[in-house]
Every structure is written in structure tokens, then in C-alpha cells.
């Protein structure tokens, strides 16, 4: 099995937020989101907190704040696990959580966190779920993968793919108009 470079990829992802404020795994984002992540079942299906790798409140051009949940992985093939309908496979055919996919794949984990906020926080109706993955080629070069999904109550919690990116510059204030 390939060696994970998750910490390198997480550091790379965080570099795109300077000088904006982002929140790490254990930092308090705000009371409502913190409580939602605490109330929701964990990624592995049990009770306990949920710890997205990076969290951010994205200001929109019209003044809304959209929570952004980012999950980071560091091995080839760990970006997303899709079902036959090309949607992230977070539930099994019997409707139970597919915890293996949620814990192993970046997008699937980010969507799990997005759903936690939508289900347990009253003030938020939409969330961006971002999976970030990276791995080393045999040439020692790092390949970065970024996949962005929009999850909302209006869309009945069905994730909609926004797009694939090579980095996170689209979250910077001077680029958000393009995103929206």
C-alpha cells in the first residue's frame, strides 16, 4: 500500500486561505456548527464528534455565509467513491450509512460533515463539501485533486457536483464571484 502524504496535502490546502480565517479539526467554528458536528453520528457510524480537516465560512457576493467542510486524504484513489448514478456513495442499498466509503474517501467524508450541519444546525440551508486528495508520482511530484460538491436542504440533501479543481484559489475573496 502506498504511503499516505495526508499531512503534506492538508498543509498545502491550508496555504490557500491566508490571510483569511479558517478552522482546523478541533478549533471552534461557532456554537451552532460545533454542536451540529457533535450531535451527528461519527464518520465511522458511532457516537462522538466529527472533525472535518478544514472548515471555513465562505462569504457570498449577496452576503450569505456558507459553511465549507473540507476532508483531506493523501493516497492515490482516495478522492471519491461514486455509485452507479455518479453520486457519492454514502449509503448502502439498504439505506444504512456506508461508513467504509465515508471514512476512506475525501468527498464522501466531506459530504457526511455537510449533512451533519444541514440536519443539526438550524441557521444553515446549504454547505460546500470539498474533498482534497494528493499523492506522489514515481517522479516524486505531487498530484493534487480537488472535488467540490454543493449540498442543500432545497436539493433534499442530494449532493450536486460543482466541479473539479487543481487547487483552492476559488475560495479566495477575489475569485468567489466566479464560483457563484
Amino acid at each position: 500500500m502506498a504511503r499516505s502524504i495526508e499531512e503534506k496535502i492538508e498543509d498545502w490546502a491550508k496555504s490557500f486561505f491566508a490571510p483569511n480565517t479558517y478552522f482546523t479539526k478541533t478549533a471552534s467554528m461557532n456554537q451552532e456548527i460545533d454542536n451540529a458536528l457533535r450531535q451527528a453520528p461519527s464518520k465511522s457510524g458511532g457516537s462522538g464528534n466529527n472533525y472535518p480537516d478544514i472548515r471555513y465560512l465562505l462569504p457570498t457576493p449577496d452576503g450569505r455565509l456558507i459553511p465549507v467542510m473540507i476532508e483531506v486524504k493523501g493516497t492515490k484513489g482516495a478522492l471519491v467513491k461514486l455509485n452507479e448514478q455518479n453520486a457519492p456513495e454514502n449509503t448502502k442499498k439498504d439505506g444504512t450509512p456506508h461508513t467504509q466509503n465515508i471514512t476512506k474517501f475525501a468527498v464522501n467524508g466531506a459530504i457526511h460533515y455537510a449533512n451533519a450541519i444541514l440536519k443539526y444546525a438550524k441557521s444553515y440551508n446549504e454547505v460546500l463539501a470539498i474533498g482534497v486528495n494528493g499523492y506522489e508520482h514515481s517522479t516524486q511530484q505531487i498530484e493534487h485533486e480537488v472535488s467540490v460538491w454543493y449540498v442543500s436542504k432545497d436539493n433534499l440533501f442530494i449532493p450536486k457536483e460543482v466541479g473539479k479543481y487543481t487547487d483552492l484559489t476559488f475560495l479566495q475573496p477575489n475569485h468567489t464571484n466566479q464560483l457563484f
Side-chain angles (χ1 to χ4, degrees), residues 105-154:
F105 297 96
V107 167
N108 301 71
I111 288 173
H112 169 81
Y113 299 133
N115 284 329
I117 292 168
L118 293 174
K119 289 178 183 174
Y120 294 96
K122 302 289 184 237
S123 301
Y124 300 98
N125 294 319
E126 57 190 343
V127 180
L128 278 182
I130 301 176
V132 176
N133 187 43
Y135 56 92
E136 288 180 338
H137 287 284
S138 57
T139 61
Q140 305 297 5
Q141 261 191 298
I142 295 178
E143 178 78 23
H144 297 97
E145 304 173 301
V146 178
S147 183
V148 181
W149 294 74
Y150 179 79
V151 187
S152 73
K153 291 178 182 177
D154 289 345

Side-chain angles (χ1 to χ4, degrees), residues 3 18 27 29 62 65 93 95 104 106 129 149 161:
R3 176 181 62 88
M29 190 169 189
D62 64 0
L65 286 177
K93 292 190 189 313
K104 184 177 177 185
W149 294 74
E161 186 174 25

Side-chain angles (χ1 to χ4, degrees), residues 58-63 165 169-180:
L58 178 66
T60 66
D62 64 0
Y165 297 84
T169 55
F170 62 90
L171 292 174
Q172 295 173 346
N174 55 333
H175 294 285
T176 55
N177 281 340
Q178 292 172 291
L179 178 65
F180 292 102

